[in-house]
Amino acid sequence: MKIDAEKIETPGVRGGHAEEFSSVEKELIQRVIHARRDIRQFISTPIPADVLARILEAAHAAPSVGFMQPWNFIMVESPEIRGRIKESFNTVNAREKSELEGTVRGELYNSLKLEGILEAPLNIAVTCDHSRGESFILGKAPMPQTAPYSVCLAIENLWLAARAEGVGVGWVSILEKSAVERILGLPPGVELVAYLCVGYPVEFRSIPLLQEVGWKGRDRLKTLIFKNQWGTPAAIFPDRSRVDEPSLPPAPRPDISARALDKINRKTKPPGSLGMLETVAVRLAELQQTLEPKLRRKRICVYAGCHGVTAEGVSAYPGEVTEQMVLNFLSGGAAINVLARHGGIQIHVVDAGVGADWPAELLRQPNFFPRGVRRGTRNFHQEPAMTAAECEQAIEIGREQVRLAVEAGIDVLGIGEMGIGNTTAASALLVALLGFDAEKAVGRGTGINDAALHRKVEVVGGAVKKHAPQATGPRGRYWLQTVGGYEIAAMAGTILEAARVRMPLVVDGFIATAAAAAAFDIDSTCREVCFFSHRSDEQAHGNTLKALKVEPILDLKMRLGEGTGAALAMHLLEASARILCEMATFDSAGISGAIDAQG
């Protein structure tokens, strides 16, 4: 009798694949892995002995080279020893700060809490004993570093087991290793691998802290996977055409809006008495597909670009001010920086087409994205502002920021801009797309005089008349390419991608609204995700909002741009969500409702 070896099944194995874990268990493992965080802030509650035992048992179950198990775990409880280790941290931390002094990243570094040595109820020093085991350790001699690597595996087990128990772990690496080894009395041949702060955390963040504050984003997986040799890409995601592109959210449930409206109507207030806050709350519930919408993580993208049309004398400021303002954004000195800090909003500064050579230090800033398509657009009074390929590239710049926001767990995104000459480009877009007269579409922008205003009207009206006969394809895309700006096209790309993934998007002022007009023409579903922050004091903005049939949240007579209006409006969007989530109902508060009308 011939036996087919491929059909032999062993216990726990079916069809050549282990079947020891259910789909629920597999999902739980993934959940624990992705929920692990580096914790720096702890509460004082001690860890129960049985919980600590399970955590250490998980660490001890780690694999190790030659099964040498080179780890030890020193439970550091002594306040005196911890105080000395904290002094070591302070020494190294001061040295690290000096490396970044005077830079934007230095300011961010100073704002971070990097350890919880004294606050955590327990510190654990994890060591590697290189002499552990027999004289011959299987596999160690060819790669001696596998001994401390094995300890790192034990640390990961400890970390994941702690997370499953609701216990937080923070790895403190800003230490003088030799000093800590002396403080702990480690013998020769035993080295410190990790110093851990362990305890119940103040919170487990939804994304890593350094990612949340903009220090560094998570790298894209597809760029890290090679095939056979270094540098050869490996395509292991055949079911997705673009690994970098976030998958679409599930189809919206048609009942969410009705349920959110019913929920807010049951709050302890007369129906509709909170006005636009109630409308916004319902929209947020629909976009996030939950009756508990959250807007904790907020980000504004400030896109910058130069404009060739400034050669026509349409601006009160020279074009180099665009570059100078980008530097101001990155040094934290602009109005948008002040308002963002006040509102706990991240800022991404994006060069979509600035005529500048950025210094190397600036290019390393984690919140700066040098994506310039070209060193400014062409003069659209003479020729199209950009080619079709350049326009598509600029739109993609904006789409990229939405993908980054999705990866970072951002709840709401805003758009703002900087570009000398961009009110001229925005006015031309509105004349072309909404049929405005040039005289009514053009305003004073940065404060031009009467002569410059007259010239600006001539330039806008003449350019639209010049380019209209050649108009082809989607009008929004054609006019973005012909009279728009790289930063305006990028904002339109952000709106288009936000609509695709249904992310709430806060539109700033006049120029951002012109970008929205183009995006609406390209894809009408963009209207569903856009919240218009304010009515600008720029002449045509009010009429533009009316033409688009949208209502602004604020009217503060502002006309600065930069995303300043979006930053202020985000406060009210978050307030709307909190009303829906936190305000009591008549039933929960024990308050009598309205008296039914009597017949």
Side-chain angles (χ1 to χ4, degrees):
M1 181 177 69
K2 183 178 179 181
I3 299 175
D4 189 344
E6 293 184 358
K7 292 184 178 180
I8 296 176
E9 292 192 1
T10 56
V13 176
R14 183 175 302 163
H17 297 284
E19 293 287 346
E20 296 181 17
F21 301 103
S22 68
S23 59
V24 173
E25 290 168 330
K26 293 174 186 176
E27 178 62 30
L28 287 175
I29 291 171
Q30 289 289 329
R31 180 182 170 193
V32 170
I33 290 171
H34 289 283
R36 183 209 57 78
R37 293 290 176 265
D38 196 16
I39 301 300
R40 306 300 184 185
Q41 294 179 309
F42 300 88
I43 61 176
S44 59
T45 304
I47 304 170
D50 60 328
V51 173
L52 183 58
R54 286 194 294 271
I55 292 171
L56 293 173
E57 286 167 357
H60 189 49
S64 60
V65 60
F67 203 46
M68 69 180 292
Q69 305 159 67
W71 44 72
N72 281 93
F73 308 92
I74 303 175
M75 307 291 110
V76 183
E77 299 176 340
S78 165
E80 188 271 333
I81 292 177
R82 288 206 214 180
R84 293 170 63 191
I85 291 172
K86 177 65 179 285
E87 290 176 4
S88 173
F89 167 84
N90 291 339
T91 299
V92 179
N93 191 43
R95 188 166 64 237
E96 294 286 289
K97 283 183 179 180
S98 68
E99 293 290 323
L100 298 171
E101 188 173 356
T103 68
V104 175
R105 180 165 273 201
E107 294 178 6
L108 182 55
Y109 183 97
N110 290 337
S111 71
L112 298 174
K113 180 172 174 55
L114 299 174
E115 51 78 34
I117 295 170
L118 303 181
E119 297 89 343
L122 177 66
N123 292 183
I124 301 178
V126 189
T127 63
C128 176
D129 185 350
H130 290 273
S131 65
R132 183 72 52 81
E134 305 166 357
S135 58
F136 179 84
I137 303 296
L138 181 64
K140 181 186 176 186
M143 296 182 69
Q145 64 270 39
T146 51
Y149 292 171
S150 298
V151 175
C152 290
L153 295 174
I155 293 166
E156 178 71 357
N157 273 18
L158 181 153
W159 213 328
L160 293 176
R163 179 63 184 90
E165 299 279 358
V167 174
V169 176
W171 186 330
V172 185
S173 59
I174 304 175
L175 292 169
E176 292 179 302
K177 182 181 176 184
S178 59
V180 176
E181 289 174 339
R182 287 194 299 272
I183 294 169
L184 297 175
L186 301 189
V190 177
E191 70 166 321
L192 177 72
V193 175
Y195 193 87
L196 308 177
C197 301
V198 184
Y200 291 103
V202 172
E203 67 172 328
F204 284 107
R205 294 176 180 271
S206 59
I207 58 174
L209 174 63
L210 294 185
Q211 186 175 357
E212 181 176 319
V213 301
W215 184 273
K216 190 182 187 305
R218 189 176 296 281
D219 291 334
R220 296 184 179 86
L221 177 60
K222 79 169 189 178
T223 66
L224 308 177
I225 305 173
F226 300 147
K227 183 177 181 179
N228 296 326
Q229 292 183 316
W230 181 272
T232 304
I236 65 168
F237 301 97
D239 58 327
R240 291 179 61 183
S241 60
R242 295 182 60 171
V243 175
D244 293 345
E245 188 172 274
S247 58
L248 287 171
R253 294 159 52 193
D255 64 328
I256 282 288
S257 292
R259 291 172 61 197
L261 180 60
D262 176 68
K263 181 178 179 180
I264 207 160
N265 281 339
R266 288 186 286 108
K267 301 295 185 180
T268 52
K269 60 171 183 59
S273 59
L274 286 175
M276 186 179 286
L277 292 180
E278 299 187 26
T279 304
V280 168
V282 172
R283 289 186 62 196
L284 291 172
E286 198 280 330
L287 286 172
Q288 294 189 357
Q289 289 290 286
T290 176
L291 296 180
E292 299 286 328
K294 299 289 188 298
L295 296 183
R296 289 187 295 258
R297 296 169 296 276
K298 304 177 283 291
R299 178 182 292 169
I300 291 177
C301 300
V302 183
Y303 297 98
C306 292
H307 292 258
V309 74
T310 56
E312 300 295 330
V314 295
S315 177
Y317 290 86
E320 56 264 28
V321 170
T322 302
E323 174 186 354
Q324 294 162 1
M325 283 302 299
V326 168
L327 296 174
N328 194 23
F329 297 147
L330 291 169
S331 66
I336 182 57
N337 300 106
V338 175
L339 295 177
R341 285 193 293 269
H342 174 65
I345 303 166
Q346 299 176 20
I347 296 290
H348 276 193
V349 181
V350 186
D351 170 10
V354 180
D357 296 312
W358 305 114
E361 171 61 27
L362 197 69
L363 297 176
R364 291 193 290 268
Q365 299 299 328
N367 65 329
F368 181 50
F369 297 81
R371 301 290 192 265
V373 177
R374 187 174 179 269
R375 298 172 70 90
T377 57
R378 299 165 185 84
N379 182 353
F380 67 72
H381 188 57
Q382 305 295 331
E383 59 182 319
M386 58 190 96
T387 66
E390 289 170 350
C391 183
E392 187 57 37
Q393 185 179 346
I395 289 173
E396 178 60 25
I397 290 170
R399 288 185 180 274
E400 177 195 27
Q401 287 298 319
V402 177
R403 293 195 288 271
L404 292 174
V406 171
E407 291 174 7
I410 296 298
D411 298 312
V412 59
L413 198 62
I415 53 171
E417 43 61 44
M418 175 61 212
I420 297 300
N422 63 11
T423 58
T424 306
S427 298
L429 273 173
L430 298 176
V431 169
L433 293 173
L434 301 181
F436 289 175
D437 292 333
E439 292 82 1
K440 294 183 178 179
V442 171
R444 293 187 183 273
T446 51
I448 56 177
N449 59 28
D450 289 346
L453 179 62
H454 179 72
R455 177 57 181 158
K456 190 173 177 181
V457 171
E458 285 184 337
V459 168
V460 168
V464 174
K465 184 176 180 180
K466 174 185 177 70
H467 298 298
Q470 292 78 41
T472 58
R475 295 168 66 248
R477 196 176 294 270
Y478 172 80
W479 286 111
L480 271 177
Q481 172 195 337
T482 305
V483 300
Y486 292 126
E487 81 280 28
I488 298 175
M491 287 191 290
T494 299
I495 296 170
L496 290 166
E497 187 69 8
R500 196 186 77 86
V501 299
R502 293 202 297 276
M503 173 175 283
L505 191 287
V506 186
V507 180
D508 190 37
F510 179 63
I511 293 96
T513 302
F520 285 12
D521 186 85
I522 296 169
D523 181 357
S524 61
T525 64
C526 291
R527 185 182 299 273
E528 298 172 9
V529 302
C530 287
F531 297 82
F532 288 81
S533 62
H534 73 120
R535 180 181 289 105
S536 168
D537 209 30
E538 186 69 17
Q539 173 179 276
H541 194 211
N543 288 334
T544 302
L545 295 170
K546 289 180 182 178
L548 294 176
K549 298 179 181 179
V550 296
E551 188 174 358
I553 295 171
L554 298 167
D555 188 346
L556 300 174
K557 310 302 181 188
M558 296 168 57
R559 55 181 178 85
L560 176 60
E562 302 180 2
T564 50
L568 292 170
M570 281 185 178
H571 292 285
L572 296 181
L573 262 68
E574 185 174 13
S576 299
R578 286 181 175 273
I579 287 291
L580 185 60
C581 296
E582 300 174 15
M583 188 175 175
T585 63
F586 283 104
D587 290 338
S588 66
I591 298 174
S592 300
I595 300 173
D596 292 336
Q598 300 297 316

